C-alpha cells in the first residue's frame, strides 16, 4: 500500500512540474521565433507586429532596413546563432545570443521582451562586440 501511495505522489509531482515548465516553454519558443524572424527575415511589415509599442517608436521600415544592411556589411553571413542566457523577470525576459559570423568571430545580441499575457513582444535589442586586441594591450 505504501508503495502505491508513494508512486502516486511521485507521479503527481512529475505531472505538476511538467505543466509548469510547459507554460514557460511556450513563451520561450515564441521569443526564439521572434528573434529568428527579426534577424533573418528582412521584411519589416512581418516583423512590426512582433515589436512593443516602445520599440515601434524607435524602429521604422528604414531603420530596420539599415539594421539588416549593417548586419550584412559588418557581420557577413551569420554562421552560429545560439541562445546562451535566459533571464526571466516578472514582466520581461532577456535572451542573450552568441553570434559568430564571417567577419566577426564573436558577438552577443541581447533581446529584451515584454510579456503581454502569454504573448511576448520585442522591446529592445543590444549588440555587444568584443574589444579590439589593441585596446586591451594599450590599457595594460
Amino acid at each position: 500500500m505504501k508503495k502505491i501511495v508513494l508512486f502516486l505522489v511521485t507521479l503527481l509531482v512529475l505531472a505538476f512540474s511538467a505543466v509548469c515548465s510547459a507554460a514557460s516553454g511556450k513563451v520561450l519558443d515564441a521569443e526564439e521565433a521572434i528573434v529568428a524572424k527579426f534577424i533573418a527575415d528582412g521584411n519589416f511589415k512581418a516583423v512590426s507586429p512582433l515589436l512593443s509599442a516602445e520599440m515601434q517608436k524607435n524602429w521604422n521600415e528604414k531603420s530596420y532596413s539599415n539594421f539588416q544592411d549593417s548586419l550584412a556589411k559588418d557581420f557577413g553571413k551569420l554562421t552560429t546563432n545560439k541562445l546562451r542566457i535566459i533571464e526571466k523577470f516578472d514582466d520581461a525576459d532577456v535572451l542573450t545570443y552568441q553570434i559568430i559570423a564571417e567577419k566577426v568571430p564573436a558577438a552577443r545580441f541581447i533581446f529584451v521582451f515584454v510579456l503581454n499575457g502569454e504573448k511576448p513582444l520585442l522591446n529592445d535589442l543590444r549588440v555587444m562586440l568584443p574589444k579590439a586586441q589593441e585596446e586591451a594591450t594599450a590599457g595594460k
Side-chain angles (χ1 to χ4, degrees):
M1 182 68 178
K2 288 182 183 179
K3 289 180 182 181
I4 293 173
V5 171
L6 184 60
F7 175 74
L8 290 176
V9 169
T10 304
L11 187 63
L12 289 174
V13 168
L14 289 174
F16 181 73
S17 66
V19 168
C20 291
S21 67
S24 291
K26 188 169 136 181
V27 172
L28 181 60
D29 288 344
E31 290 169 346
E32 288 185 288
I34 291 170
V35 167
K37 187 172 225 156
F38 190 83
I39 289 176
D41 195 7
N43 181 0
F44 184 72
K45 290 183 187 203
V47 171
S48 64
L50 308 173
L51 306 179
S52 69
E54 183 70 28
M55 192 160 177
Q56 285 182 2
K57 292 178 189 175
N58 301 323
W59 287 76
N60 57 28
E61 194 162 357
K62 183 169 175 53
S63 60
Y64 182 70
S65 177
N66 289 342
F67 171 75
Q68 291 292 332
D69 293 343
S70 174
L71 274 181
K73 181 180 137 208
D74 298 336
F75 286 80
K77 183 180 177 186
L78 300 181
T79 57
T80 302
N81 180 13
K82 291 189 178 182
L83 177 61
R84 292 295 183 198
I85 301 171
I86 303 167
E87 296 176 272
K88 307 256 325 146
F89 299 98
D90 290 338
D91 59 350
D93 291 343
V94 179
L95 276 56
T96 303
Y97 281 80
Q98 178 185 356
I99 305 294
I100 299 174
E102 290 174 330
K103 298 178 182 178
V104 179
R108 294 210 174 202
F109 285 19
I110 301 171
F111 296 89
V112 179
F113 290 90
V114 293
L115 301 177
N116 184 5
E118 288 278 318
K119 182 181 178 190
L121 297 171
L122 184 59
N123 194 50
D124 196 11
L125 164 66
R126 301 284 180 211
V127 177
M128 296 174 55
L129 299 172
K131 291 184 179 181
Q133 193 66 293
E134 303 87 42
E135 292 176 15
T137 56
K140 290 183 179 178

